[in-house]
Amino acid sequence: MKKTIINILEEVDLNQPIFIEALPGIGHVGKLAADHIIDELGATKFAEIYSPSFPPQVMVDEEGIIETMKNEFYYLKSAGEEERDYLFLVGNTQGLSPEGQYEICGLILDLAENHGVKEIYTLGGLATGQAVEKTKVFGAATNKEFAEKLKEHDVTMRSADGGIIGASGLLLGMGTLRGMEGACLMGETPGYFIDAEAAKAMLNVLIKLLKLEVDTEKLDERAEETRKMISKAQQMEQEMMERMTLKPGEEDLRYIG
Amino acid sequence: MKKTIINILEEVDLNQPIFIEALPGIGHVGKLAADHIIDELGATKFAEIYSPSFPPQVMVDEEGIIETMKNEFYYLKSAGEEERDYLFLVGNTQGLSPEGQYEICGLILDLAENHGVKEIYTLGGLATGQAVEKTKVFGAATNKEFAEKLKEHDVTMRSADGGIIGASGLLLGMGTLRGMEGACLMGETPGYFIDAEAAKAMLNVLIKLLKLEVDTEKLDERAEETRKMISKAQQMEQEMMERMTLKPGEEDLRYIG
Amino acid sequence: MKKTIINILEEVDLNQPIFIEALPGIGHVGKLAADHIIDELGATKFAEIYSPSFPPQVMVDEEGIIETMKNEFYYLKSAGEEERDYLFLVGNTQGLSPEGQYEICGLILDLAENHGVKEIYTLGGLATGQAVEKTKVFGAATNKEFAEKLKEHDVTMRSADGGIIGASGLLLGMGTLRGMEGACLMGETPGYFIDAEAAKAMLNVLIKLLKLEVDTEKLDERAEETRKMISKAQQMEQEMMERMTLKPGEEDLRYIG
Amino acid sequence: MKKTIINILEEVDLNQPIFIEALPGIGHVGKLAADHIIDELGATKFAEIYSPSFPPQVMVDEEGIIETMKNEFYYLKSAGEEERDYLFLVGNTQGLSPEGQYEICGLILDLAENHGVKEIYTLGGLATGQAVEKTKVFGAATNKEFAEKLKEHDVTMRSADGGIIGASGLLLGMGTLRGMEGACLMGETPGYFIDAEAAKAMLNVLIKLLKLEVDTEKLDERAEETRKMISKAQQMEQEMMERMTLKPGEEDLRYIG
């Protein structure tokens, strides 16, 4: 496995779908929201991505069953008031290296382009590191038209506080080179817990923008379940770091014959 | 040498062998156990792996003889009560980069698939960082059937404490994409010494699972020998770190003309 | 996107142009100076570079509009007293990995060679870490002839203080292998702010060397504008670092399923 | 430039030459010794290596002249009592990544193999971190025959103190896969200065082993000249580190648009 591969599970025919990306990131905000829409609206999985740039590991679920690192595509046909088709990208990881991120995002955009995508929304969190009183939703857009649309929906344009790192940024940036336009929505979050409030605030903006109907109440339950997995993630990252930093005082015996 | 290569030393014909992996890891647990089975049951080496993703170095043995970094395949025919064939993967290192790990594991699974492997067991340690009173054996499986089998043999399913990093995880995860199923067994260990007790506990589970007969008493001797090499490993990793971190106050003169 | 690509926007025919490089670096010195010449002399953009070795992110401008990471080529025909053609390379980033830097610089030199470049000037800052009383301009050259030329223009040869890291060094070094000669000019700067003084001092040397006329007064304004973006950059790099270091105590949930 | 390249400057015909490697490393010990033999015996440069895995930078010499990062091959015909041919590999850097080290060493061994090399000596330093009273020379060998040869020349076999990292280890390890045998010689050094004493001790062993005549007195002068470049190297590595670590509090403006 030297290259990223996309396994197509079902051939689907979509009509200029709106592409929504929400891979794991700050406060789990984007992922919570996207998993929720997929679940509530009954989207169907049709493709999986495996990449040598994903972390070289597997996850273990609550019952001790192993789960591979992957990204997944779902589709939805004729949804919401405007009867639009949708393409969703979710998963349990992102590429680790810059080169990997670019390769994976390139393949994702190939698939999106082949399905006629012209419009992208990427979802994430914006960590403030502080408690949040009333959750703001921040945004950035690929052009002024989308920026205006965001402002009409009470999105605060992210103007003096940095860039957008990872797939949420790259897909929009590289998408413009293929004639796709769109925006990134970021739920404000303290950033150190699974933040259902941030996800709900962001989701409420998104569904208004797209004229979708999604019950956001169940997001709290979803957040609760996700919270149970947190300690797992922390321990895992710690192990990863220990492996990567190879502190000599610790007995990582990788090099012994 | 731009790619990982597998040198086949002997062409072998195996009948749906059970694949057992134990590359160096926490507490040397998996490697101790696998080296022991190979030795006790007289498995035969038939292939070697060299990779540009292995650490760019060599080991030096007790007599000052240089040993290249490599992984090795052994086979065993008609072993145990069930007269099954076995394929073992051991070695003195693992790939360093995510991309390397995926490439190497892909090639390993190619070889396994070509020899008809359907069942994988990967062996490792689970570091608790604390003294262990009665060594537990932890496990994770690719499906419920294997999970049940582990539980019947007093294996504690690893459910709330993270993922499995490195070849032990990847081989199982990527193996499922080729129709292979299996489990990872992890001997509980404080993690900061060569742990024969953890290896013995894990090995006792494994041989019952596989209906093999292996005398585990000699594991203590093997652990003793391995312990002698520990200080070597520690110093080596320290050097590696010093090289990699390039602290400017130290005279690593790599860049001088 | 597995390789660096150059998008040609306009086919141009240049006559042995002088190549001037100024990608982002210490104190923003080179970039400030080059952006200023391009603006003052009205150079025209004709090509863009995108690379998988650039940071996997996008920038966001003051109005919340997304900007991809890229390098850009500009040209200028028959400029200055000597009516020479010019080729400029500017941008908002450099390659992150050594391999990426070499790949990108190789492609840049391909383009330069195809346009007949024989002479290269690379522009940067030299951080002293201290307040600067009277800004010195430091230099290094690919041969003695260029070194003499620099000294005639009050450039202090950089002789006992290290090498030149990144595109400013590599383009000169790799350029010599293609028969190109040239020099690197470095404005002395404390290094921890956008330094218009350093850029002005360096620019004054460059325009005398090249017999160009450029009004350097407006550089102060340009520096002021650039300063507004500083806090942005700092926050961004901080995020990047947090992502890359994956401190387990922080909730970077990249690995959660 | 996506791959390592070897520029052949002169086609040479060698008769089973002895290959001696000494790229930059601990205490400059190997490099000092090899540069000295090349100079004293008048070896001729015939090839150069450039690699995208070398540090992405250039060196600047005492007169401000830029020097590219490279490795260099020299040859010597019918030297010493045994009238043997020699192949030397020296340079100002080594590959940075594991993959780069393997690729470069593979190409070096291709060239060595094409010239009929059967015997390799790699030269380096062994840092003790402490003052050295009487310089020992340490060694490791690819087989017992070479180990015996080293012991006969008062070399202390390196048995309980780790492996050999970088080209000095890899060339020997990978060389054995092509039927080449040899040894690594390491001069004991405190490791934090240019150590002419360590180089002299090691060189004295080497010339006895190879029955060469080389005046080692001038090594002190050579060390003195090299020492002048030390502060340069330190500052350079510091810059490199600062670039690589991208401390956000410092104004590395690589990412600003």
Side-chain angles (χ1 to χ4, degrees):
Chain A
M1 187 172 182
K2 299 226 10 142
K3 298 193 299 188
T4 297
I5 50 170
I6 300 190
N7 279 358
I8 303 294
L9 309 174
E10 181 194 339
E11 289 296 339
V12 294
D13 191 22
L14 301 173
N15 182 17
Q16 292 207 0
I18 292 170
F19 178 23
I20 295 176
E21 175 273 346
L23 294 172
I26 294 160
H28 225 73
V29 177
K31 182 168 168 48
L32 263 181
D35 285 353
H36 190 68
I37 307 180
I38 285 170
D39 208 26
E40 288 288 313
L41 301 185
T44 307
K45 183 159 93 166
F46 74 101
E48 292 177 335
I49 304 183
Y50 298 94
S51 172
S53 302
F54 287 163
Q57 63 186 44
V58 290
M59 306 294 299
V60 180
D61 77 11
E62 308 88 78
E63 273 139 42
I65 304 298
I66 280 163
E67 191 182 291
T68 57
M69 306 315 283
K70 66 183 169 214
N71 291 353
E72 298 171 311
F73 282 106
Y74 286 78
Y75 72 90
L76 195 60
K77 294 190 72 107
S78 301
E81 203 180 309
E82 295 184 339
E83 300 194 344
R84 294 289 304 263
D85 289 358
Y86 285 88
L87 180 67
F88 297 95
L89 178 71
V90 291
N92 57 11
T93 191
Q94 292 200 19
L96 284 181
S97 65
E99 285 82 2
Q101 282 273 16
Y102 274 94
E103 188 208 5
I104 296 164
C105 287
L107 292 173
I108 289 167
L109 289 172
D110 285 348
L111 184 143
E113 200 171 20
N114 290 341
H115 284 87
V117 166
K118 303 270 182 222
E119 208 171 320
I120 308 180
Y121 290 91
T122 67
L123 311 182
L126 183 65
T128 57
Q130 299 176 329
V132 170
E133 282 202 39
K134 196 188 163 304
T135 306
K136 272 191 203 162
V137 177
F138 290 93
T142 59
N143 63 21
K144 288 192 177 168
E145 195 190 320
F146 270 91
E148 282 311 311
K149 219 157 124 182
L150 296 189
K151 284 186 224 162
E152 284 165 22
H153 288 81
D154 291 326
V155 173
T156 308
M157 294 312 283
R158 191 178 180 184
S159 64
D161 54 357
I164 301 168
I165 297 171
S168 286
L170 263 197
L171 288 172
L172 287 172
M174 292 171 72
T176 60
L177 305 178
R178 302 174 185 233
M180 301 173 189
E181 303 289 341
C184 179
L185 289 176
M186 291 158 274
E188 187 186 17
T189 173
Y192 43 80
F193 59 87
I194 296 293
D195 194 344
E197 286 311 305
K200 210 188 284 180
M202 190 186 64
L203 192 50
N204 278 325
V205 170
L206 185 70
I207 59 185
K208 270 180 217 151
L209 265 166
L210 301 176
K211 295 180 187 161
L212 286 172
E213 277 203 37
V214 180
D215 178 2
T216 61
E217 285 314 303
K218 287 198 199 145
L219 250 176
D220 293 317
E221 277 172 52
R222 183 176 300 277
E224 193 48 49
E225 278 167 41
T226 314
R227 261 174 219 126
K228 286 184 200 150
M229 296 171 67
I230 267 283
S231 62
K232 203 197 286 196
Q234 286 174 326
Q235 190 151 345
M236 184 144 178
E237 288 186 7
Q238 197 149 10
E239 271 181 48
M240 185 93 182
M241 278 314 293
E242 281 161 13
R243 280 287 181 120
M244 284 191 160
T245 54
L246 287 171
K247 284 167 212 149
E250 289 160 42
E251 308 288 280
D252 181 338
L253 297 174
R254 266 205 291 196
Y255 302 124
I256 285 201
Chain B
M1 185 173 184
K2 297 225 12 140
K3 298 193 299 188
T4 297
I5 50 170
I6 301 190
N7 278 357
I8 303 294
L9 309 174
E10 181 194 339
E11 289 296 340
V12 293
D13 190 23
L14 301 173
N15 182 18
Q16 292 206 1
I18 292 169
F19 178 24
I20 295 176
E21 174 273 346
L23 294 173
I26 293 159
H28 225 75
V29 176
K31 183 169 166 49
L32 263 181
D35 285 353
H36 190 69
I37 308 180
I38 285 171
D39 208 26
E40 287 288 314
L41 300 186
T44 308
K45 182 160 93 165
F46 74 100
E48 292 176 335
I49 304 182
Y50 299 94
S51 173
S53 301
F54 286 163
Q57 62 186 45
V58 290
M59 305 295 298
V60 180
D61 76 12
E62 309 88 80
E63 273 139 42
I65 304 298
I66 280 163
E67 190 183 292
T68 57
M69 306 315 283
K70 67 183 168 212
N71 290 354
E72 297 170 313
F73 282 107
Y74 285 78
Y75 72 90
L76 195 60
K77 294 190 71 105
S78 302
E81 204 179 310
E82 295 185 337
E83 300 194 342
R84 293 290 304 264
D85 289 358
Y86 285 88
L87 180 66
F88 297 95
L89 178 71
V90 291
N92 56 11
T93 191
Q94 291 201 18
L96 285 181
S97 64
E99 284 82 2
Q101 283 272 17
Y102 275 93
E103 187 209 5
I104 296 164
C105 287
L107 291 173
I108 289 167
L109 289 173
D110 284 348
L111 184 142
E113 200 171 20
N114 289 341
H115 283 87
V117 167
K118 303 271 182 220
E119 207 171 320
I120 308 181
Y121 290 91
T122 66
L123 311 182
L126 183 66
T128 57
Q130 299 175 328
V132 171
E133 283 203 38
K134 195 187 164 306
T135 305
K136 271 192 201 161
V137 176
F138 291 93
T142 59
N143 63 22
K144 288 191 178 170
E145 194 191 321
F146 270 91
E148 282 312 311
K149 217 157 127 181
L150 296 188
K151 284 186 224 163
E152 284 164 22
H153 288 80
D154 289 327
V155 172
T156 309
M157 294 313 282
R158 190 180 181 183
S159 64
D161 54 356
I164 302 168
I165 297 170
S168 286
L170 263 197
L171 289 171
L172 288 172
M174 292 171 70
T176 60
L177 305 178
R178 302 175 185 232
M180 301 174 189
E181 302 290 341
C184 179
L185 290 176
M186 291 157 274
E188 186 185 17
T189 174
Y192 43 79
F193 58 87
I194 296 293
D195 194 343
E197 286 312 306
K200 211 188 282 181
M202 190 186 64
L203 193 50
N204 279 325
V205 170
L206 185 71
I207 60 185
K208 269 179 218 152
L209 266 166
L210 301 175
K211 296 180 186 160
L212 286 171
E213 277 202 38
V214 179
D215 177 1
T216 60
E217 285 315 304
K218 287 198 197 145
L219 250 177
D220 292 318
E221 278 172 51
R222 184 177 300 276
E224 194 47 52
E225 277 166 42
T226 315
R227 264 174 216 124
K228 287 184 199 150
M229 295 172 69
I230 268 281
S231 62
K232 202 197 285 195
Q234 286 175 325
Q235 190 151 345
M236 184 142 178
E237 287 187 8
Q238 197 149 11
E239 270 181 51
M240 186 89 181
M241 279 312 294
E242 281 161 14
R243 281 286 180 122
M244 284 190 161
T245 53
L246 287 171
K247 284 168 213 150
E250 290 160 40
E251 309 286 280
D252 181 339
L253 296 174
R254 266 206 288 196
Y255 301 125
I256 285 202
Chain C
M1 186 171 183
K2 299 228 8 144
K3 298 193 301 187
T4 297
I5 50 169
I6 300 190
N7 279 357
I8 304 293
L9 309 174
E10 182 194 339
E11 289 296 339
V12 293
D13 191 22
L14 301 173
N15 182 18
Q16 292 206 0
I18 293 169
F19 178 23
I20 294 175
E21 174 273 347
L23 294 173
I26 293 159
H28 225 74
V29 176
K31 182 168 166 49
L32 262 181
D35 285 353
H36 190 69
I37 307 180
I38 285 171
D39 208 26
E40 287 288 313
L41 301 186
T44 308
K45 182 158 91 166
F46 73 101
E48 291 176 336
I49 303 182
Y50 298 95
S51 173
S53 301
F54 287 164
Q57 62 186 45
V58 290
M59 305 294 300
V60 180
D61 76 11
E62 308 88 77
E63 272 138 42
I65 303 299
I66 280 164
E67 192 182 291
T68 56
M69 306 315 284
K70 67 183 169 213
N71 290 353
E72 297 171 312
F73 282 106
Y74 286 78
Y75 72 91
L76 195 60
K77 294 190 71 105
S78 301
E81 203 180 309
E82 294 184 339
E83 300 194 344
R84 294 288 303 265
D85 289 358
Y86 285 88
L87 180 67
F88 297 95
L89 178 71
V90 291
N92 56 12
T93 191
Q94 292 200 19
L96 284 180
S97 65
E99 285 80 2
Q101 282 273 14
Y102 274 94
E103 187 208 7
I104 297 165
C105 286
L107 291 173
I108 289 168
L109 289 172
D110 285 348
L111 184 142
E113 200 171 21
N114 290 341
H115 283 87
V117 167
K118 303 270 183 224
E119 208 172 320
I120 308 180
Y121 290 91
T122 66
L123 311 182
L126 183 64
T128 57
Q130 299 176 327
V132 170
E133 283 203 38
K134 195 187 165 305
T135 306
K136 271 191 201 164
V137 176
F138 291 93
T142 58
N143 63 22
K144 288 193 178 169
E145 195 190 321
F146 270 91
E148 283 311 311
K149 220 157 126 180
L150 295 188
K151 284 186 223 162
E152 284 165 21
H153 288 80
D154 290 327
V155 173
T156 309
M157 294 313 282
R158 189 178 181 185
S159 64
D161 54 358
I164 302 167
I165 297 170
S168 286
L170 263 197
L171 288 172
L172 288 172
M174 293 172 70
T176 60
L177 304 178
R178 302 175 185 232
M180 302 174 189
E181 302 290 341
C184 179
L185 291 175
M186 290 158 275
E188 186 186 17
T189 173
Y192 43 80
F193 60 88
I194 296 293
D195 194 342
E197 286 312 305
K200 209 189 283 181
M202 190 187 64
L203 192 51
N204 278 326
V205 169
L206 184 71
I207 59 185
K208 270 180 216 151
L209 266 167
L210 300 176
K211 296 181 185 157
L212 286 172
E213 278 202 37
V214 180
D215 178 2
T216 61
E217 286 315 305
K218 287 197 197 147
L219 249 177
D220 293 317
E221 276 172 52
R222 183 176 301 275
E224 193 49 50
E225 278 166 41
T226 315
R227 262 174 218 125
K228 285 184 202 153
M229 296 171 68
I230 268 282
S231 61
K232 203 198 287 196
Q234 286 174 326
Q235 189 150 346
M236 183 142 178
E237 287 187 8
Q238 198 148 11
E239 270 181 52
M240 185 90 181
M241 279 313 292
E242 281 162 14
R243 281 285 181 124
M244 285 191 160
T245 53
L246 287 172
K247 284 167 214 150
E250 288 160 42
E251 308 287 280
D252 181 340
L253 297 175
R254 265 205 290 195
Y255 301 125
I256 285 201
Chain D
M1 184 172 185
K2 298 226 10 141
K3 297 193 300 186
T4 298
I5 51 169
I6 300 190
N7 278 358
I8 304 294
L9 309 174
E10 181 193 341
E11 288 296 339
V12 293
D13 190 22
L14 302 173
N15 182 19
Q16 292 205 1
I18 293 169
F19 178 24
I20 295 175
E21 174 274 346
L23 295 173
I26 293 159
H28 225 76
V29 176
K31 182 168 166 51
L32 263 181
D35 285 353
H36 189 69
I37 308 180
I38 285 171
D39 209 27
E40 288 287 315
L41 301 185
T44 308
K45 182 159 92 168
F46 74 100
E48 291 176 337
I49 303 183
Y50 299 94
S51 173
S53 302
F54 287 164
Q57 61 186 46
V58 290
M59 305 294 299
V60 181
D61 75 12
E62 308 89 79
E63 273 138 42
I65 303 298
I66 279 165
E67 190 182 292
T68 57
M69 305 316 283
K70 67 183 168 211
N71 290 354
E72 297 171 313
F73 282 106
Y74 286 78
Y75 72 90
L76 195 60
K77 293 189 73 104
S78 302
E81 204 180 308
E82 294 184 338
E83 300 194 344
R84 294 289 303 265
D85 289 357
Y86 284 88
L87 180 67
F88 297 95
L89 178 71
V90 291
N92 57 12
T93 191
Q94 292 199 19
L96 284 181
S97 64
E99 284 81 2
Q101 283 272 15
Y102 275 94
E103 187 207 5
I104 297 165
C105 286
L107 291 173
I108 289 167
L109 289 172
D110 285 347
L111 184 143
E113 200 172 21
N114 289 342
H115 284 87
V117 167
K118 303 271 183 221
E119 208 170 321
I120 308 181
Y121 290 90
T122 66
L123 311 182
L126 183 65
T128 57
Q130 298 177 327
V132 170
E133 283 203 37
K134 195 186 164 304
T135 306
K136 271 191 202 163
V137 176
F138 291 92
T142 58
N143 63 21
K144 288 192 178 169
E145 194 190 320
F146 270 91
E148 282 312 310
K149 218 156 126 181
L150 296 189
K151 284 186 224 163
E152 285 164 21
H153 287 81
D154 291 326
V155 173
T156 309
M157 293 314 281
R158 190 179 180 183
S159 64
D161 54 356
I164 302 168
I165 297 170
S168 286
L170 263 197
L171 289 171
L172 289 172
M174 293 172 70
T176 60
L177 304 179
R178 303 175 185 232
M180 303 174 188
E181 301 290 341
C184 178
L185 290 175
M186 290 158 274
E188 186 186 17
T189 173
Y192 43 79
F193 59 88
I194 296 293
D195 194 343
E197 287 313 306
K200 211 189 283 180
M202 190 187 64
L203 193 50
N204 278 326
V205 169
L206 185 70
I207 60 185
K208 269 180 217 151
L209 266 166
L210 301 176
K211 296 180 186 159
L212 286 172
E213 278 202 36
V214 180
D215 178 2
T216 61
E217 285 314 305
K218 287 197 198 147
L219 249 177
D220 293 319
E221 278 172 49
R222 184 176 300 275
E224 192 50 51
E225 278 167 40
T226 315
R227 262 173 218 126
K228 285 183 199 152
M229 295 172 68
I230 270 280
S231 61
K232 203 197 288 197
Q234 286 174 325
Q235 189 150 345
M236 184 142 176
E237 287 187 7
Q238 197 148 11
E239 270 181 50
M240 186 90 181
M241 279 312 293
E242 281 161 14
R243 281 287 180 122
M244 285 191 159
T245 53
L246 287 172
K247 285 168 213 149
E250 289 160 40
E251 308 287 282
D252 182 339
L253 297 174
R254 266 204 289 195
Y255 301 125
I256 286 202

